[in-house]
Amino acid sequence: MTAPTKSEQTRTRILAEGRALVLAHGFGGLGLTELLAASAVPKGSFYYYFASKEAFGCAMLEQYVADYLAALDAIIASPEPAAARMDRFFATALASDAGSMADRCLVVKLAAEIADLSDDMRTILNDGVSAVCQRLARLLREGIDDGSIIPRPDPHMAAGLLYSQWLGAAIIAKLSRDPTLLQQALDDTRRRFFT
């Protein structure tokens, strides 16, 4: 495995700092001067790494979706019953050192903001949500097979509705600055889906 070049390290640092700034201020509130200062990159260097702010946004979202799916895939790969794996996935939405799903989810933060701003960015997030729902549908099917999840006639539709519930709960939790709704979503998920 080859070590990343200095240019790749800088690009990665810009993406990481940019993600933190976007989570704090939104995509529209992201200033390139602030991003370059936070990344310790000289002024004017942004366009060496990204053709535009939108191209940066697309790269940031692609990386975010890849990281999110990798974390979910690691949970799915566990040998536990499907309900335990699904419970672990949703329990991580409640709290961590980085805050709750409402505080660290770019879908929650950006879906409404970028839906009309950038079709490319919207497509990346939409495809990411679809990929999460496909994985949740897989867990539902596996749980039905292993007896840990209550059977559903259409696991794919159930997964989409379940994830929509969680995204809605995260948006309201962000608005109210109260994570109680996320705990209620977890309790409801356990009650409605797990045997």
Side-chain angles (χ1 to χ4, degrees):
M1 187 168 170
T2 332
T5 65
K6 184 177 179 183
S7 179
E8 291 168 336
Q9 291 173 349
T10 301
R11 187 177 190 278
T12 299
R13 190 170 63 248
I14 293 170
L15 288 169
E17 293 295 336
R19 183 189 297 189
L21 290 169
V22 167
L23 281 169
H25 307 294
F27 188 73
L30 175 67
L32 295 184
T33 301
E34 179 185 19
L35 173 58
L36 293 173
S39 306
V41 173
K43 247 183 186 173
S45 295
F46 179 82
Y47 296 104
Y48 172 79
Y49 299 100
F50 304 99
S52 64
K53 184 177 175 185
E54 182 181 9
F56 160 79
C58 288
M60 178 193 63
L61 292 177
E62 286 167 351
Q63 183 182 57
Y64 173 76
V65 167
D67 292 347
Y68 193 93
L69 293 176
L72 177 52
D73 287 341
I75 291 170
I76 289 172
S78 167
E80 304 168 285
R85 290 179 277 158
M86 186 176 283
D87 191 70
R88 190 153 37 100
F89 169 67
F90 283 121
T92 62
L94 291 177
S96 72
D97 292 340
S100 74
M101 177 183 186
D103 300 320
R104 57 180 153 65
C105 179
L106 285 177
V107 177
V108 170
K109 182 70 175 187
L110 297 180
E113 180 183 355
I114 65 165
D116 298 324
L117 177 68
S118 166
D119 201 49
D120 289 340
M121 291 173 67
R122 180 198 60 76
T123 298
I124 292 165
L125 277 185
N126 187 56
D127 290 349
V129 167
S130 294
V132 170
C133 291
Q134 289 169 1
R135 285 160 169 81
L136 291 176
R138 174 183 162 192
L139 279 175
L140 289 176
R141 286 190 297 274
E142 289 178 10
I144 291 167
D145 290 345
D146 71 23
S148 66
I149 290 181
I150 298 167
R152 299 278 184 236
D154 185 345
H156 186 74
M157 183 178 74
L161 291 172
L162 177 61
Y163 198 60
S164 295
Q165 174 188 7
W166 275 89
L167 287 176
I171 289 168
I172 294 170
K174 186 158 190 63
L175 284 173
S176 65
R177 296 193 173 154
D178 180 1
T180 303
L181 198 56
L182 290 170
Q183 181 60 55
Q184 291 170 347
L186 182 59
D187 295 342
D188 183 64
T189 299
R190 289 171 174 162
R191 185 174 47 255
R192 289 188 306 120
F193 285 87
F194 303 162
T195 58

